[in-house]
Amino acid sequence: MANFASVVAPALLPRDELVRRLHGVADTGRLQSGLRALTDYVGASHYLLARCDLIQESGLDFIVSSDWPFDLVRDIANDLVSTYARSTELEKCMQVFQPNFALLPEGADVPEGASRQYCSLTFNVGRSRLALMFLFGEGFILSPERLRDVGLLAGYIASFLRCGGAKVDRDFELTDRELECLFWIAEGKTSDEIAMILGISRNTINNYITSVMRKTATKTRSEAIAFAVRNNLV
């Protein structure tokens, strides 16, 4: 952690109380109550749940639920977009359930008593990837064991409440031709070979593949293949 100053540690929510509160979420369907319980369990002060697969779209539609100040969410949005765009498909896969610590942008309006460092946990719900981000007090050290519990339980809650289904999944955004091209590049075929198989020109094949990479936010054919495998498209 960036700051090891002595602070009064927050009272952590006991495990049995966490289970009781999550049972209530299952009955009422109130996502915010579940996220608040997980936040209290890990000892953080604020939570933000985001759809990673929607981060590169316009606006703040990728935010599922948050109690961060709005200005702070707006400040961090650009950083999240650029960070996600720089990550390879392999890096994205390796980040699942692994706590990642980063700093809020310089000049961001951080809530009083909160550290500029935040923690994020990524997990999958169906074919959607979500990230649960926590703000916590200056000098407070989050428990790896409790973070691991939270990562698993957040996935369960988000799946139960269908947080990954707010928008159409990526595979439905791909046309039949684009899916065909994705299948054949996953089979190791070149553009010339795919053109011969499908009976269309090499340039048209390359256009389809470029469109696939744009829609899946990948930079190379290898990354597109990794995306396809991870999302059961091939």
Side-chain angles (χ1 to χ4, degrees), residues 117-216:
Q117 190 176 48
Y118 67 92
C119 175
S120 63
L121 289 166
T122 60
F123 55 93
N124 291 334
V125 175
R127 292 178 178 175
S128 299
R129 176 157 297 172
L130 292 93
L132 180 57
M133 291 174 270
F134 293 116
L135 297 180
F136 49 94
E138 285 281 1
F140 180 67
I141 300 176
L142 299 175
S143 161
E145 292 78 14
R146 287 189 173 235
L147 282 171
R148 186 162 51 248
D149 290 345
V150 164
L152 294 171
L153 289 169
Y156 166 76
I157 293 172
S159 178
F160 179 79
L161 298 179
R162 301 182 183 277
C163 295
K167 290 202 174 184
V168 178
D169 285 334
R170 289 283 181 191
D171 54 328
F172 293 109
E173 295 178 5
L174 299 179
T175 66
D176 290 341
R177 276 299 195 195
E178 288 168 348
L179 287 170
E180 282 183 305
C181 291
L182 189 55
F183 170 80
W184 286 116
I185 62 174
E187 291 290 309
K189 303 298 184 183
T190 66
S191 293
D192 288 328
E193 290 171 330
I194 299 173
M196 185 175 297
I197 292 169
L198 299 182
I200 52 183
S201 73
R202 180 179 183 275
N203 286 340
T204 301
I205 294 297
N206 286 335
N207 288 337
Y208 282 133
I209 294 172
T210 298
S211 179
V212 167
M213 290 191 289
R214 177 180 58 80
K215 290 180 178 180
T216 58

Side-chain angles (χ1 to χ4, degrees), residues 3-185:
N3 187 340
F4 290 94
S6 176
V7 295
V8 177
L12 300 181
L13 187 71
R15 185 185 292 263
D16 57 351
E17 176 64 12
L18 172 66
V19 172
R20 187 189 69 78
R21 286 170 63 174
L22 294 183
H23 275 306
V25 173
D27 293 335
T28 64
R30 295 184 61 186
L31 174 64
Q32 291 82 358
S33 297
L35 295 175
R36 185 69 253 172
L38 295 177
T39 304
D40 293 342
Y41 177 74
V42 82
S45 58
H46 297 75
Y47 67 82
L48 184 151
L49 181 64
R51 282 275 303 265
C52 296
D53 53 321
L54 300 181
I55 278 179
Q56 291 178 295
E57 299 185 6
S58 59
L60 296 177
D61 289 343
F62 64 90
I63 304 297
V64 177
S65 181
S66 173
D67 65 356
W68 290 26
F70 176 79
D71 288 345
L72 182 57
V73 175
R74 185 183 56 196
D75 288 342
I76 199 176
N78 289 335
D79 278 22
L80 293 177
V81 170
S82 60
T83 298
Y84 198 73
R86 290 195 304 268
S87 300
T88 66
E89 285 300 312
L90 179 59
E91 289 171 335
K92 291 169 187 174
C93 290
M94 293 179 68
Q95 289 170 359
V96 174
F97 293 130
Q98 297 298 318
N100 180 55
F101 292 88
L103 293 176
L104 295 170
E106 289 289 344
D109 189 12
V110 181
E112 184 177 358
S115 171
R116 283 191 59 245
Q117 190 176 48
Y118 67 92
C119 175
S120 63
L121 289 166
T122 60
F123 55 93
N124 291 334
V125 175
R127 292 178 178 175
S128 299
R129 176 157 297 172
L130 292 93
L132 180 57
M133 291 174 270
F134 293 116
L135 297 180
F136 49 94
E138 285 281 1
F140 180 67
I141 300 176
L142 299 175
S143 161
E145 292 78 14
R146 287 189 173 235
L147 282 171
R148 186 162 51 248
D149 290 345
V150 164
L152 294 171
L153 289 169
Y156 166 76
I157 293 172
S159 178
F160 179 79
L161 298 179
R162 301 182 183 277
C163 295
K167 290 202 174 184
V168 178
D169 285 334
R170 289 283 181 191
D171 54 328
F172 293 109
E173 295 178 5
L174 299 179
T175 66
D176 290 341
R177 276 299 195 195
E178 288 168 348
L179 287 170
E180 282 183 305
C181 291
L182 189 55
F183 170 80
W184 286 116
I185 62 174

